[in-house]
Amino acid sequence: MSVGLTHYLVVSLLLFCLGLFGVLVRRNLLVMFMSLELMLNAANLALVAFARYHHNLSGQIMVFFIITVAAAEVAVGLALIVALYRQRRTAHVEDLASLRL
Amino acid sequence: MIDLFAWLILGLPLLAAAAITLFTLPDAAKSARLSIGAVLLAFLGSLILWARDATGEPAVTWLALGTGTGGLQIELGLKLDPLSRLMLLVVTGVGSAIHIYSWGYLHADRNRGRYFAGLSLFTFAMLGIVLANNFLMLFIFWELVGVSSYLLIGFWFARPAAAEAAKKAFLTNRLGDFGFLLGIILVWAALGTLSFTELEARLADDPAALGAAASVAGLLIFCGAMGKSAQFPLHVWLPDAMEGPTPVSALIHAATMVAAGVYMLCRVFFVLAVPGSVALELIAWIGGVTALLAALLAVQQNDIKRILAYSTLSQLGYMVLAVGVSGASRDPSVAMYHLTTHAGFKALLFLGAGSVIHALHHEQDIWKMGGLSRRLPITFWTFLLATLALCGVPPLSGFYSKDAILARTLESGHHGLFALATLVAALTTFYMFRLVFVAFTGPAKSQAADHARESPPVMTLPLLALAVPSVLAGFWGIHRVYGAQYGAEPAAAGSWAQQLVEPFAHAPLAAGAGLAAALMGWLGAWAWYRAALQDPLPARFATVARWLRDRLYFDELYERLIGWTQESLARLADGVDRWVIMGVAVKGTHGTFELLGRLLRLAQTGNLQTYAFVLVAGVALLLFLVMAR
Amino acid sequence: MQSLSFIILCPLLAAGLIALVPRNYQVVFRSLALLSTLLSLLGAIRIFAGFDTGSAALQFEEQVAWVDSLGISYHVAVDGINVGLILMGAVVAFAAVCVSREITARQKEYYLLLLLMAGGILGAFASYDLFFFYFFHELALVPTFILIGVWGRGEQRNYATFKITLYLSLGALVALVGLIALYLEAGHQTFNLWSLARQLEADPIDPARQRYLFPLLLFGFGILVSLWPFHTWAPLGYAAAPTAVAMLHAGVLKKFGLYGLIRVAVPLLPAGVQSWAEVLAWLCLGNILYCSLVAMRQKDLNLLLGNSSVAHVGFAFLGIASLTLLGLTGAVVVMVAHGFLAALTFALSGYVRQQTGTVNLDHMGGLLERLPFIGGVLVMAFLAGCGLPGFANFPGEALVLFGAWQGYPGVAILAAWGALILAAVYMLRAVRVLLHGPLPERWGKVADAPHLWHKLPYGLLLAALLLFGCWPRLLTDKIQPCVADIVRRAEAPPANSAAGLARIALPPAAAPALARPGATDGLTASRHPR
């Protein structure tokens, strides 16, 4: 069978949903973070697919931006998680609810 | 020149009061000098105005708003005519005597400065009432007189009784003033002006100008007189006002302030006498009822000042009665006649009582006096003279004025009121001689009475001075002067002998009835009180005597009434304020918002994943809404 | 000194100076405050004395354009209505600073905020531009929150602070909505009152719209003036506030709403006024009767005075509702008189509280013995509150009663009852309980105001009451031409443009004014502050 745009988009959607599910359900902060990365990469995949199938390089340029931003975000985010772990001795997201009103 | 004198007469007591308050309060002698000086100069001025037969209406504009109907032009103006000239003499004359007397009476008091300031303020306000040329100015000075009465009754404010009495006097007066102000507004709304001269001219031109409101306006204006002259049902403040120093009782609550009501009725008689108005009838009956009520209550009082207070009430009832029955003749000068003579002998009675109280070191119960005729001769003889004048014994002044009233009542066909008035005359003689017999004759009933000594000249000279008009005023043709004010034909002044028997010639039934009543009253008093060591009446008529002594429970009734109406309204308002407005509305709003906040707060779980979920769901919803179009 | 900007800027500049002075120079703060309010007072007296009575035109006018595209300019002027109010504001501000002797903690912030209040009030009364009118009022209102919260008295002070601030902010919000709606409906792109008045006379807003606009202004300004039933913030707030703040607020700031009604709502929205006047007349009975009755039940002197102050402003409302020359003039006189009276009574109660530590009437008695001066002035102030002639309240209340009689006789009768009887009841009861009677042991050490400087604020306020009471023409002659104009407008049926233009009445003293940048029409007669 020929692999068309739709197949890529479906894979991207599946990856996105897996990532979303991970963010919403997993309780370890690091795993949530990894799921977040998965969501970002799903978006990347969709963009590259569109760029390839519509012959428009803007999509691939977008991906570069996203990768850069993701990298920066990971750096800052992991630093925050480490600092938080040092404070609270836990990486469980349910223990970090002190902003409850 | 005349105008200047008039303004000075009005202004000097005010200047004295202001000067005393600002500068000389601690210094009693200086304050007294300022005050006495001002009133004596005012008396001098009044004599000059009298001698010159001054008339005129000098005025300055106090308020000027708008023109024509709906506008209000108020002047501070002085109306000089026979009525005001004679009244000026009465006020300043009696006032001078009392100012001088006060110096002696209060010689031991530290606060004499404040007293004389109050006395001068009162004099200023009273002169303002006498000289006022329009309704609003009259009202202004009316209120000022009320406030100076408040300050003077409450002079010894540390005594709860005095403080309460002052408050009661002011509030009762205010009730009358409420009606008075409404009456003034009614007159202004109907006729567009408040000046007496203009009103009189307007009503002379067109007697129906007041329309249907004539009776109501008249009665409302009478409310003011009811309050000030303590007519039934606003009579309750006058006996309590005796808590003030005795000279105050003499000046304010006998001679001048309470007479202001009658003076006002005579001043604005043209409003009351509008044809078709029933005001005068009601006024006459209220006067009669007051006279009778007060005379009955006086029969069982034991405090010398209270007896005199009720006597004043009763005489005021007479004067109001006289105004009321003058409708047909359109000439209320008989009321003014009695007012003038009454001012003289009633002030004398009070000052005499003051002399007695002073001599007995502030003992006021007549059953603790006795035998004072020997120890206080001047006081006794002047007191007796005044009593005889009050009871209407010829040839003293009271006889002529009382007889004039009785004659007028009979002439105008008010037979019921005539009988009432005669009964009151009998009662008057009865309780007055009860007082004289118990307090002045017989053995001394207490230590203080035994050791009493005559008062110093500063107190007895005014007594002698006031005795003169009490004796002679009947011969001075006062009624002719007042009559001139109302357009009566000036009758020829006869010789002294003719003057003496004039009442018998003019209206024999009235004169005879009056004399007979006086005689009967005297006989009753002589029979029961001549040598009494205690009151025989309560033994005979226990319940009635008790009712009379307890003043027919009017005070208690009023207190109950006020409690039911005003106090419960106040409680209701306070409750609504606290529970409905503050409780439900304000706290309710506060509570509602707080509840909303609490509900919204439930969404803030602090859990990161909940937030993420809500975020995603929201985005999905938005996308759906946008794309589904 | 004869310049309105001088009067307004003196306290504001002094506030700025105080902010710069270091905290330890305590004596400077009080001296600066006294000096600046004294200068404002002298300026206000000069303007009052130099006012040309009998002219309906604006005097002592100053105008500087600010935001032309919106029509906002800094425009201050006096006419008969606000000249008395400005004088009253200046006197009360000076007296309030004098009375602030008792404040010892954080004097710098206190005087700074107090001067901001004073400057704001004077600016609000002098402003002829709606924007600055509102701005100055808020400038005066915001410091009250801090002043009552920090220097307030009593256990209820936190509750009172928040209540008064939120309530007044609500009122100001409603009024702001009304003012902006007015600006938009008028459609002339100007916030300037003078030009708005003239333009709206020629081309009025649609009467149906006016009927919706007017209640916004009525209730907005009404809440600011404690119109019943939106009055409960007042007694509580004044009881909790420090003396000077109570004086300034009850005396002066409260009048802002009434002034707004007379200046803005009544002339610019005549159809609206006519439909809502009756509602206002009956609501003001709530003030006069209801609050007097509540005052009778109070045991706390400040609560009694607060309720009494709410009752007195009811008369001003009645005067406005009557829409007659007498009624409106009376309303303005009541505003001035009540300003002095409220300031005086709160100042005196503050003194008593300072001496005895309490304002609970149940524990007082016989104080007249120990406080002859203060007690004497207190008696006079209470008698003034009952409408005694000789004090400025009487001419005001009498004029209101006369004015309201034609339109609302029932209301006038009840109002007279409230003024003469109810007021006397609670006032005299207060005198009886506070000053008369035997002196209890514990007040044996209470001391009267020692020397002249201490007596000055009370004497000044009392003298003002006496002056305007004995000589009310000082006020009414000035007020009359302006009020006559307003009444004429309010009574006129809505006219169409052509007829309206033909009917524009020129003020008799009109003279061609000098051209000024961004100025309004050229028909105002003004005095230049040279």
Side-chain angles (χ1 to χ4, degrees):
Chain A
M1 75 188 185
S2 64
V3 176
L5 177 58
T6 326
H7 298 87
Y8 279 97
L9 288 181
V10 168
V11 171
S12 168
L13 174 68
L14 282 173
L15 280 176
F16 187 83
C17 289
L18 277 173
L20 185 61
F21 180 76
V23 167
L24 291 181
V25 173
R26 297 301 294 265
R27 282 165 297 168
N28 191 310
L29 268 179
L30 282 171
V31 177
M32 278 174 71
F33 218 63
M34 285 193 285
S35 311
L36 203 57
E37 282 304 301
L38 195 56
M39 285 162 74
L40 278 170
N41 283 308
N44 284 343
L45 183 59
L47 276 168
V48 168
F50 275 120
R52 170 71 178 82
Y53 279 94
H54 292 297
H55 302 289
N56 186 344
L57 273 178
S58 315
Q60 302 196 3
I61 311 282
M62 230 20 234
V63 169
F64 275 112
F65 278 108
I66 293 178
I67 292 176
T68 319
V69 168
E73 176 228 332
V74 163
V76 172
L78 281 176
L80 280 173
I81 292 178
V82 168
L84 199 56
Y85 182 77
R86 283 199 186 137
Q87 269 282 344
R88 297 297 187 86
R89 289 280 142 218
T90 174
H92 230 219
V93 78
E94 277 170 8
D95 295 334
L96 300 170
S98 53
L99 276 181
R100 177 207 315 273
L101 278 177
Chain B
M1 209 44 198
I2 293 291
D3 291 356
L4 181 63
F5 276 132
W7 286 113
L8 275 178
I9 292 176
L10 183 61
L12 279 173
L14 176 66
L15 284 172
I20 297 175
T21 317
L22 289 174
F23 304 122
T24 66
L25 263 182
D27 185 339
K30 278 210 195 101
S31 310
R33 253 177 252 148
L34 277 171
S35 181
I36 296 178
V39 74
L40 278 175
L41 283 173
F43 183 50
L44 203 61
S46 310
L47 281 172
I48 296 178
L49 285 181
W50 171 259
R52 300 275 201 91
D53 272 339
T55 49
E57 215 169 310
V60 291
T61 316
W62 193 67
L63 256 185
L65 281 171
T67 46
T69 54
L72 194 62
Q73 312 284 333
I74 307 291
E75 296 178 323
L76 216 59
L78 311 177
K79 195 160 160 57
L80 295 170
D81 55 16
L83 186 63
S84 57
R85 282 199 309 263
L86 196 48
M87 193 67 183
L88 273 181
L89 277 177
V90 170
V91 172
T92 49
V94 174
S96 307
I98 294 179
H99 273 70
I100 298 173
Y101 179 94
S102 306
W103 176 246
Y105 188 80
L106 288 175
H107 71 97
D109 201 307
R110 289 181 299 139
N111 294 312
R112 271 172 297 171
R114 185 159 54 90
Y115 175 82
F116 279 107
L119 219 56
S120 286
L121 178 68
F122 170 79
T123 313
F124 163 68
M126 189 69 211
L127 290 173
I129 292 184
V130 171
L131 290 167
N133 81 336
N134 65 66
F135 260 117
L136 201 66
M137 182 179 163
L138 183 66
F139 184 78
I140 290 175
F141 284 104
W142 201 257
E143 293 271 309
L144 285 176
V145 154
V147 93
S148 40
S149 165
Y150 169 74
L151 293 172
L152 286 168
I153 297 176
F155 177 63
W156 290 312
F157 55 78
R159 287 206 342 233
E164 288 292 328
K167 187 169 70 133
K168 185 174 184 177
F170 192 77
L171 287 174
T172 319
N173 263 303
R174 266 291 168 106
L175 274 172
D177 294 348
F178 169 65
F180 193 19
L181 186 64
L182 287 180
I184 293 179
I185 297 182
L186 263 177
V187 169
W188 170 79
L191 295 173
T193 174
L194 287 175
S195 152
F196 292 146
T197 331
E198 275 176 46
L199 278 172
E200 195 162 2
R202 206 65 89 75
L203 282 172
D205 275 341
D206 176 21
L210 268 178
S215 303
V216 176
L219 283 172
L220 283 173
I221 292 178
F222 176 60
C223 275
M226 262 208 279
K228 201 62 79 188
S229 298
Q231 297 298 298
F232 173 81
L234 294 178
H235 63 282
V236 290
W237 67 270
L238 190 54
D240 284 5
M242 298 299 121
E243 293 289 337
T246 309
V248 166
S249 308
L251 181 61
I252 299 186
H253 306 124
T256 43
M257 178 175 118
V258 291
V262 180
Y263 176 79
M264 184 266 282
L265 288 175
C266 294
R267 191 36 112 201
V268 302
F269 191 69
F270 49 85
V271 175
L272 301 169
V274 163
S277 162
V278 301
L280 283 177
E281 274 299 308
L282 265 156
I283 291 176
W285 278 98
I286 294 181
V289 168
T290 309
L292 183 61
L293 180 68
L296 284 172
L297 292 178
V299 165
Q300 273 297 290
Q301 298 300 315
N302 295 324
D303 179 326
I304 188 173
K305 284 176 70 175
R306 294 258 160 153
I307 300 177
L308 293 177
Y310 280 108
S311 162
T312 309
L313 263 177
S314 183
Q315 296 304 307
L316 286 169
Y318 251 93
M319 292 179 222
V320 170
L321 170 71
V323 172
V325 300
S326 302
S329 51
R330 304 194 62 83
D331 174 17
S333 51
V334 283
M336 285 305 298
Y337 191 15
H338 196 56
L339 193 160
T340 313
T341 57
H342 174 264
F345 53 71
K346 193 42 77 60
L348 178 52
L349 280 171
F350 266 103
L351 293 187
S355 174
V356 166
I357 295 173
H358 180 81
L360 265 60
H361 304 295
H362 292 279
E363 177 57 66
Q364 294 184 211
D365 187 346
I366 57 175
W367 296 101
K368 301 229 174 53
M369 302 177 185
L372 295 176
S373 57
R374 295 180 294 280
R375 295 184 222 287
L376 308 174
I378 303 182
T379 307
F380 170 63
W381 285 107
T382 50
F383 198 90
L384 185 62
L385 209 63
T387 308
L388 288 171
L390 175 57
C391 301
V393 172
L396 301 173
S397 58
F399 167 64
Y400 294 98
S401 55
K402 218 181 227 188
D403 169 76
I405 297 182
L406 288 172
R408 181 65 66 80
T409 314
L410 203 52
E411 266 169 26
S412 58
H414 291 92
H415 298 292
L417 283 172
F418 177 74
L420 201 81
T422 321
L423 176 60
V424 173
L427 282 171
T428 307
T429 322
F430 178 70
Y431 64 71
M432 281 314 291
F433 272 95
R434 167 177 179 264
L435 172 60
V436 171
F437 283 138
V438 171
F440 287 97
T441 66
K445 300 182 185 61
S446 76
Q447 277 287 351
D450 220 11
H451 297 134
R453 269 202 337 258
E454 184 60 270
S455 304
V458 72
M459 289 169 67
T460 52
L461 282 175
L463 292 178
L464 291 169
L466 282 172
V468 173
S470 303
V471 174
L472 296 178
F475 303 108
W476 288 346
I478 297 180
H479 54 288
R480 272 198 299 283
V481 173
Y482 283 129
Q485 167 84 1
Y486 296 97
E489 289 301 313
S495 69
W496 277 68
Q498 277 183 325
Q499 278 276 72
L500 191 64
V501 295
E502 197 244 346
F504 292 101
H506 179 76
L509 178 56
L515 271 180
L519 191 61
M520 287 208 298
W522 185 83
L523 280 172
W526 190 74
W528 279 352
Y529 289 100
R530 174 180 83 241
L533 284 173
Q534 63 194 63
D535 203 329
L537 272 180
R540 293 281 206 93
F541 308 105
T543 356
V544 178
R546 189 166 36 89
W547 286 353
L548 290 181
R549 204 171 45 244
D550 290 339
R551 298 166 314 209
L552 284 178
Y553 305 107
F554 270 108
D555 290 307
E556 287 79 4
L557 177 67
Y558 286 168
E559 233 169 281
R560 202 66 80 70
L561 211 64
I562 297 176
W564 282 341
T565 53
Q566 202 156 273
E567 290 296 313
S568 14
L569 270 177
R571 243 185 287 257
L572 180 68
D574 196 33
V576 169
D577 212 43
R578 229 186 277 263
W579 299 111
V580 177
I581 297 191
M582 286 211 269
V584 172
V586 175
K587 288 221 172 93
T589 322
H590 162 238
T592 313
F593 280 105
E594 187 158 341
L595 190 65
L596 267 177
R598 252 185 241 192
L599 281 175
L600 287 173
R601 207 184 292 166
L602 289 174
Q604 306 296 325
T605 56
N607 189 320
L608 189 59
Q609 287 168 320
T610 320
Y611 294 161
F613 177 69
V614 172
L615 180 72
V616 170
V619 168
L621 184 68
L622 270 173
L623 278 176
F624 173 72
L625 286 174
V626 166
M627 307 242 258
R629 257 168 228 291
Chain C
M1 226 199 260
Q2 260 192 329
S3 148
L4 281 170
S5 300
F6 174 79
I7 298 178
I8 301 171
L9 288 176
C10 253
L12 294 176
L13 281 175
L17 280 175
I18 287 182
L20 297 173
V21 171
R23 201 162 300 225
N24 21 5
Y25 295 96
Q26 296 250 328
V27 69
V28 173
F29 305 134
R30 189 170 162 76
S31 323
L32 257 179
L34 277 172
L35 183 65
S36 63
T37 44
L38 182 63
L39 286 174
S40 278
L41 175 59
L42 291 173
I45 294 179
R46 282 201 70 181
I47 289 194
F48 191 82
F51 188 84
D52 178 19
T53 316
S55 150
L58 297 181
Q59 303 178 28
F60 296 97
E61 196 176 359
E62 291 165 42
Q63 185 169 23
V64 176
W66 198 41
V67 179
D68 267 333
S69 54
L70 289 172
I72 302 178
S73 61
Y74 170 79
H75 187 192
V76 292
V78 282
D79 69 352
I81 298 179
N82 59 355
V83 67
L85 291 170
I86 293 180
L87 179 65
M88 185 259 292
V91 171
V92 172
F94 178 63
V97 174
C98 288
V99 160
S100 299
R101 193 185 299 273
E102 57 185 4
I103 304 286
T104 46
R106 292 167 139 178
Q107 287 193 8
K108 171 172 169 164
E109 287 83 7
Y110 177 83
Y111 283 112
L112 193 142
L113 292 167
L114 203 65
L115 287 172
L116 277 179
M117 260 186 99
I121 289 169
L122 293 170
F125 282 138
S127 268
Y128 253 82
D129 181 285
L130 279 178
F131 180 83
F132 276 96
F133 183 66
Y134 192 79
F135 165 73
F136 277 119
H137 174 253
E138 292 299 302
L139 183 63
L141 190 55
V142 171
T144 59
F145 174 59
I146 310 173
L147 283 167
I148 302 180
V150 176
W151 289 275
R153 322 169 280 198
E155 320 93 40
Q156 293 238 27
R157 76 162 180 268
N158 282 325
Y159 176 68
T161 313
F162 279 98
K163 186 167 185 177
I164 195 175
T165 311
L166 289 172
Y167 228 130
L168 292 181
S169 304
L170 176 68
L173 175 67
V174 175
L176 181 64
V177 170
L179 287 174
I180 294 182
L182 179 64
Y183 170 78
L184 291 173
E185 286 287 342
H188 294 291
Q189 296 286 90
T190 174
F191 273 104
N192 188 292
L193 270 174
W194 186 248
S195 38
L196 261 180
R198 301 176 52 69
Q199 280 154 359
L200 280 178
E201 186 171 10
D203 177 26
I205 303 178
D206 175 37
R209 284 271 170 73
Q210 285 190 33
R211 275 187 211 110
Y212 289 105
L213 265 182
F214 186 76
L216 280 176
L217 287 178
L218 173 64
F219 287 106
F221 285 133
I223 295 178
L224 290 177
V225 194
S226 63
L227 177 67
W228 191 88
F230 308 110
H231 64 284
T232 48
W233 56 267
L236 215 57
Y238 300 146
T243 312
V245 177
M247 285 167 72
L248 272 174
H249 202 289
V252 197
L253 200 49
K254 222 195 232 193
K255 309 299 174 292
F256 170 78
L258 287 166
Y259 178 67
L261 278 176
I262 295 182
R263 183 63 91 202
V264 180
V266 173
L268 302 181
L269 302 170
V273 170
Q274 277 161 8
S275 19
W276 284 89
E278 184 140 10
V279 173
L280 183 58
W282 288 99
L283 275 182
C284 78
L285 268 188
N287 274 69
I288 299 176
L289 290 180
Y290 176 96
C291 290
S292 301
L293 289 170
V294 173
M296 281 180 0
R297 300 276 307 161
Q298 297 305 323
K299 296 284 181 290
D300 179 328
L301 181 62
N302 280 326
L303 283 178
L304 189 148
L305 290 175
N307 275 302
S308 147
S309 131
V310 174
H312 280 112
V313 292
F315 275 98
F317 276 122
L318 183 58
I320 295 178
S322 72
L323 290 181
T324 57
L325 177 65
L326 293 178
L328 272 167
T329 313
V332 181
V333 174
V334 165
M335 282 160 71
V336 176
H338 177 256
F340 289 125
L341 178 69
L344 182 59
T345 46
F346 280 111
L348 290 167
S349 109
Y351 184 88
V352 168
R353 189 207 199 99
Q354 196 198 358
Q355 286 293 316
T356 60
T358 171
V359 273
N360 190 335
L361 287 173
D362 279 342
H363 301 153
M364 308 274 213
L367 286 174
L368 193 52
E369 192 67 50
R370 298 286 312 170
L371 303 173
F373 175 75
I374 294 283
V377 179
L378 199 61
V379 171
M380 284 200 258
F382 280 154
L383 287 173
C386 314
L388 191 73
F391 295 102
N393 300 71
F394 173 73
E397 290 177 8
L399 280 172
V400 166
L401 287 173
F402 275 88
W405 179 260
Q406 290 296 107
Y408 309 102
V411 176
I413 294 177
L414 289 170
W417 178 265
L420 286 177
I421 311 289
L422 294 179
V425 169
Y426 63 76
M427 290 290 189
L428 287 188
R429 206 178 272 191
V431 171
R432 165 78 184 88
V433 170
L434 188 63
L435 297 171
H436 288 174
L439 181 66
E441 267 304 311
R442 72 181 113 166
W443 304 136
K445 291 285 183 326
V446 166
D448 201 9
H451 33 258
L452 205 60
W453 292 120
H454 281 96
K455 299 185 187 175
L456 179 64
Y458 314 108
L460 190 62
L461 289 167
L462 189 67
L465 274 174
L466 282 169
L467 175 67
F468 290 118
C470 293
W471 197 2
R473 283 186 72 186
L474 278 177
L475 283 174
T476 58
D477 280 352
K478 297 183 169 74
I479 300 173
Q480 194 184 212
C482 315
V483 165
D485 196 46
I486 294 180
V487 170
R488 182 184 54 79
R489 259 180 234 263
E491 282 172 354
N496 57 29
S497 308
L501 272 169
R503 265 185 35 236
I504 292 178
L506 301 179
L514 307 171
R516 258 179 269 115
T520 53
D521 55 290
L523 289 164
T524 53
S526 55
R527 285 215 188 154
H528 288 278
R530 295 264 182 271

